[in-house]
C-alpha cells in the first residue's frame, strides 16, 4: 500500500519520483472516497456560518495545516488561492490532533480534514456538532450527509480553475491503493488482483474496517489506471499552476 498522492507526484514532475505510475501493476484500492468528503471545517463558535461569509473582505479565519505536500495544507492553500476564500494558513503542525488542540485553544479556527478521519479520531466533536463544515472537497456531488454544504467544484466557473481542482482531487478517488511492481508474471498478477477484490467483499474484513471507521468503497485495477490516465491527461499549464500555488514540489 502507498500514500494516495504518490503516483500523482510523478505526473507533477517531482524530481524524487523515479517511476511511471502507469507501468506499475495496480491491484485495486480499498476506498474510492464514495462515502467520505474532505471538509474545510471550523469551530462551531466561529462567527463564520457559510462559505459566503468567507468571501467577505471583513471576515478572516485561520486554518491550521501540516507541511508542504500534505493534503490538508494543499487544500487550505487552494481554498485561499483558487476559491478566493478569506483564510490565513498556519502550517507546520505535525498532524490533525495537534490542530484540533490548537482549535480548542483558539490559536486557529479550523482545518481541512476528512469526515471519516474526524469521526474516527474526534467522533464526539462531530456527534456533538462542535465543528461546522463550510465546503467539501474530493466530491463530484455533495455527500448526502453534507447535503447543505457546497462542493469546491460548485464554487468555480473558470474552466482551468475547475481542471486544477479536479487534478488536486483525483488521488482521493483511489484513496487506499495497493500496488505490485512491474514485471510480475501475468498469471500471478491475475491471482493477486482477484484475491484483492475478493478480500474487500469478505465479511470479516468489512466488519474490521467498520470498527476502524475505514471508508469501504473498493475499486479494481482498471479503475485506478483510468484515474491515473485522467491525471496524466491534465494540461501541462494547469499542472504547472497547481505546483506553483501549492508548493507541491518543495522538498
Amino acid at each position: 500500500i502507498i500514500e494516495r498522492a504518490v503516483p500523482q507526484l510523478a505526473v507533477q514532475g517531482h524530481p524524487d519520483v523515479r517511476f511511471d505510475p502507469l507501468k506499475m501493476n495496480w491491484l485495486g484500492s480499498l476506498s474510492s472516497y464514495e462515502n467520505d468528503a474532505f471538509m474545510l471545517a471550523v469551530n462551531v463558535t466561529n462567527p463564520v456560518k457559510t462559505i459566503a461569509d468567507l468571501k467577505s473582505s471583513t471576515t478572516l479565519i485561520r486554518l491550521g495545516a501540516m507541511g508542504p505536500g500534505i493534503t490538508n495544507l494543499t487544500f487550505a492553500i487552494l481554498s485561499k488561492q483558487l476559491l478566493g476564500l478569506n483564510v490565513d494558513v498556519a502550517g507546520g503542525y505535525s498532524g490533525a490532533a495537534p490542530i484540533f488542540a490548537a482549535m480548542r485553544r483558539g490559536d486557529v479556527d479550523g482545518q481541512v480534514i476528512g469526515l471519516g478521519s474526524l469521526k474516527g479520531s474526534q467522533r464526539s466533536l462531530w456527534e456533538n456538532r462542535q465543528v461546522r463544515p463550510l465546503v467539501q472537497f474530493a466530491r463530484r456531488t455533495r455527500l448526502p450527509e453534507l447535503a447543505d454544504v457546497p462542493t469546491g467544484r460548485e464554487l468555480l466557473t473558470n474552466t482551468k480553475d475547475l481542471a486544477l481542482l479536479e487534478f488536486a482531487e483525483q488521488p482521493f478517488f483511489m484513496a487506499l491503493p495497493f500496488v505490485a511492481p512491474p514485471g510480475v508474471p501475468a498469471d500471478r498478477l491475475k491471482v493477486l488482483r482477484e484475491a484483492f477484490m475478493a478480500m474487500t467483499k469478505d465479511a470479516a474484513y468489512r466488519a474490521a474496517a467498520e470498527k476502524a471507521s475505514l471508508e469501504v468503497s473498493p475499486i479494481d485495477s482498471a479503475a485506478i489506471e483510468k484515474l491515473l490516465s485522467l491525471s496524466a491527461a491534465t494540461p501541462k499549464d494547469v499542472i504547472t499552476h497547481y505546483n506553483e500555488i501549492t508548493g507541491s514540489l518543495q522538498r
Side-chain angles (χ1 to χ4, degrees):
I1 186 169
I2 63 173
E3 206 279 331
R4 64 190 174 208
V6 169
Q8 188 143 298
L9 287 173
V11 180
Q12 292 172 236
H14 197 291
D16 292 336
V17 178
R18 301 182 181 91
F19 68 90
D20 182 347
L22 291 172
K23 293 182 179 179
M24 304 296 282
N25 285 314
W26 298 96
L27 306 185
S29 173
L30 298 180
S31 169
S32 58
Y33 231 61
E34 181 180 337
N35 308 304
D36 209 340
F38 205 52
M39 311 178 301
L40 190 164
V42 297
N43 286 323
V44 73
T45 54
N46 194 280
V48 172
K49 305 294 185 186
T50 69
I51 204 69
D53 294 335
L54 281 183
K55 288 184 174 288
S56 166
S57 60
T58 61
T59 309
L60 175 71
I61 63 169
R62 186 171 174 82
L63 297 179
M66 295 174 229
I70 305 300
T71 311
N72 84 323
L73 175 59
T74 295
F75 278 84
I77 293 171
L78 290 176
S79 297
K80 180 181 178 69
Q81 300 290 342
L82 192 65
L83 302 186
L85 304 184
N86 201 21
V87 302
D88 183 31
V89 183
Y93 287 92
S94 60
I99 300 176
F100 277 118
M103 289 169 65
R104 288 192 292 271
R105 293 192 303 268
D107 295 343
V108 297
D109 301 302
Q111 64 175 302
V112 189
I113 187 170
L115 176 58
S117 178
L118 175 62
K119 288 180 177 179
S121 63
Q122 304 281 341
R123 181 174 290 273
S124 64
L125 288 181
W126 181 251
E127 292 180 344
N128 295 322
R129 296 296 186 260
Q130 296 302 299
V131 294
R132 177 186 297 120
L134 299 177
V135 60
Q136 53 184 309
F137 298 105
R139 299 291 310 174
R140 298 182 179 94
T141 58
R142 296 185 186 188
L143 186 71
E145 191 171 354
L146 302 173
D148 296 330
V149 180
T151 66
R153 299 186 185 201
E154 291 176 51
L155 303 176
L156 296 174
T157 56
N158 181 280
T159 302
K160 285 197 172 182
D161 287 347
L162 184 58
L164 191 153
L165 182 60
E166 290 175 350
F167 180 79
E169 293 178 332
Q170 210 76 268
F172 284 94
F173 304 130
M174 47 178 281
L176 294 169
F178 281 67
V179 65
V184 177
D187 58 338
R188 298 181 192 183
L189 181 59
K190 181 175 183 292
V191 170
L192 283 171
R193 286 173 169 169
E194 290 175 350
F196 178 86
M197 294 308 297
M199 181 270 293
T200 66
K201 300 173 185 176
D202 179 79
Y205 161 74
R206 285 186 168 261
E210 182 177 355
K211 186 176 180 180
S213 299
L214 178 66
E215 196 273 334
V216 179
S217 54
I219 56 173
D220 62 15
S221 58
I224 290 182
E225 289 168 0
K226 182 177 180 180
L227 287 168
L228 292 172
S229 295
L230 287 172
S231 289
T234 302
K236 297 302 181 186
D237 61 329
V238 171
I239 296 175
T240 298
H241 189 207
Y242 173 80
N243 291 340
E244 289 172 347
I245 66 176
T246 63
S248 297
L249 300 192
Q250 182 176 333
R251 298 192 186 203

